[in-house]
Amino acid sequence: MAAPTIKLNNGKNMPLVGFGLWKVNNDQVYNAIKTGYRLFDGACDYGNEVEAGQGVKRAIDEGLVKREDLFIVSKLWNSFHDKDKVMPICKKQLGDWGLDYFDLYIIHFPIALKYVDPSVRYPPGFFYEGDKIVLSKASLEETYHAMEECYEQGLIKSLGISNYVGSLVLDVERYAKHLPQTLQIEHHPYLVQQDLTDLCKSRGIAVTAYSSFGPSSFLELDMKRAHDTPLLLEHPTIKSIADKHSKTPAQVLLRWSTQRGIAVIPKSNNQDRLAQNLDVCSFDLAKDEVEAISGLDKDLRFNSPTNYGIDIPIFA
């Protein structure tokens, strides 16, 4: 089983369904490759890039895949936005993975924090010392141009942005030498962001959804907003559509995105769900079903720094 691909604006093909690597180990990466996943979405901030790379290496060494069969994604953390820090940390992350290039490298947040040397703390997280947040003076334009240098030198085959709102996407368009290939955003029926996805479509920027299951992803973080929100996986609208198609609620939620051309990056530790999550392009939702799911929109965002007690209101 393999996921279909979408063509990015630089001609590269990206799988429409991938495997998210937050809180994942090397065995899970290896098993996901065996199951048929080819896109793996990692990040400096996840703190597991060495382990993820070990899983990839094992699969390649055993002949399950070749490097060119995989689409490896990583992200630039906030503490490395200064222009002279971008390429060195990209190279460090490549070294952690054991790779020569990333298929896609993404600016994780439109937030520039003061540099923390990896020898001091890695990944550095949001705080500079203790509970102190110190911002950098690096502009998003400065950071983006440094990302473009990585792109031009072949360290990354595509470049992306994440957690950008429409005004920042329009701003990138003004200064980019190479328009971003992707925008990764929180996207689920409680946070549809239709205007933003339409904007990206009009500019040829592919959209990847994270947290496709809404509040479920944030329960383990003990986030009050997630605990106070009805689970999408148990929502009557989602469950009735799933029953009609003999699919799981998770498959319906993922298909709601992929049918609209939006890539997804779910994860699961359960083998059956792992296979089910990959099989989300083999059936179609009716137009009224897509509209009913979109109609659940509450403009409800979970992954905002302010929801973690971090006073950087980027979505204000």
Side-chain angles (χ1 to χ4, degrees):
M1 186 192 308
T5 61
I6 51 177
K7 189 172 289 294
L8 304 178
N9 61 30
N10 62 354
K12 305 290 184 182
N13 290 312
M14 182 179 80
L16 195 57
V17 183
F19 189 75
L21 296 181
W22 184 54
K23 293 191 175 182
V24 162
N25 61 39
N26 58 6
D27 288 337
Q28 290 169 281
V29 171
Y30 171 80
N31 191 45
I33 292 174
K34 285 187 69 174
T35 302
Y37 286 84
R38 295 296 178 260
L39 184 150
F40 292 87
D41 183 83
C44 157
D45 191 51
Y46 300 165
N48 60 357
E49 294 194 293
V50 171
E51 291 80 6
Q54 290 168 347
V56 166
K57 183 177 186 301
R58 179 184 172 193
I60 292 175
D61 289 347
E62 292 184 9
L64 296 179
V65 289
K66 297 177 181 178
R67 169 64 184 95
E68 56 267 29
D69 298 329
L70 300 174
F71 194 99
I72 305 297
V73 183
S74 190
K75 304 181 188 75
L76 175 80
W77 184 244
N78 310 333
S79 308
F80 306 109
H81 273 220
D82 293 8
K83 63 182 179 181
D84 61 332
K85 301 297 190 289
V86 174
M87 190 174 293
I89 201 64
C90 178
K91 289 179 177 179
K92 173 188 164 31
Q93 291 177 254
L94 285 169
D96 288 347
W97 274 91
L99 300 175
D100 295 323
Y101 65 90
F102 287 126
D103 295 277
L104 174 63
Y105 195 51
I106 296 172
I107 297 175
H108 203 151
F109 280 97
I111 299 170
L113 297 176
K114 186 173 180 179
Y115 176 70
V116 176
D117 192 280
S119 65
V120 174
R121 186 175 68 252
Y122 190 86
F126 269 98
F127 301 104
Y128 184 67
E129 291 177 340
D131 60 355
K132 186 178 181 183
I133 293 175
V134 182
L135 298 177
S136 161
K137 292 188 179 298
S139 68
L140 290 175
E141 179 176 357
E142 171 187 323
T143 303
Y144 193 86
H145 287 320
M147 293 277 286
E148 289 179 316
E149 291 180 15
C150 294
Y151 180 71
E152 291 169 352
Q153 291 200 20
L155 296 175
I156 63 178
K157 301 301 183 182
S158 300
L159 61 92
I161 52 180
S162 182
N163 298 303
Y164 276 44
V165 295
S167 57
L168 292 182
V169 174
L170 291 170
D171 198 43
V172 169
E173 190 175 42
R174 295 185 183 100
Y175 57 70
K177 182 178 178 182
H178 306 283
L179 202 64
Q181 276 71 60
T182 71
L183 168 66
Q184 188 172 125
I185 55 171
E186 180 180 344
H187 179 73
H188 46 73
Y190 288 154
L191 185 66
V192 177
Q193 303 195 80
Q194 190 66 50
D195 288 345
L196 181 56
T197 59
D198 287 347
L199 171 63
C200 288
K201 185 176 181 179
S202 73
R203 299 314 200 260
I205 300 171
V207 175
T208 297
Y210 68 77
S211 300
S212 295
F213 305 143
S216 300
S217 305
F218 300 91
L219 291 175
E220 62 187 282
L221 299 177
D222 202 27
M223 183 182 290
K224 185 178 186 302
R225 177 173 289 203
H227 283 285
D228 291 346
T229 304
L231 295 179
L232 281 167
L233 293 170
E234 298 176 2
H235 196 287
T237 298
I238 305 300
K239 291 179 72 174
S240 66
I241 294 172
D243 290 342
K244 180 180 177 182
H245 290 272
S246 298
K247 298 295 182 182
T248 67
Q251 287 176 304
V252 168
L253 288 168
L254 295 171
R255 185 56 177 149
W256 172 74
S257 288
T258 61
Q259 188 166 318
R260 293 158 49 244
I262 294 173
V264 293
I265 45 173
K267 69 161 187 167
S268 178
N269 300 330
N270 177 282
Q271 182 57 42
D272 289 340
R273 287 197 295 270
L274 194 66
Q276 289 167 356
N277 288 349
L278 187 58
D279 180 26
V280 291
C281 297
S282 62
F283 67 100
D284 289 328
L285 301 173
K287 182 174 182 289
D288 64 321
E289 292 172 332
V290 172
E291 291 174 350
I293 296 171
S294 297
L296 301 177
D297 190 18
K298 300 175 183 290
D299 196 26
L300 182 58
R301 187 185 305 277
F302 299 99
N303 193 39
S304 172
T306 54
N307 288 343
Y308 304 104
I310 297 167
D311 190 20
I312 308 178
I314 57 172
F315 299 112

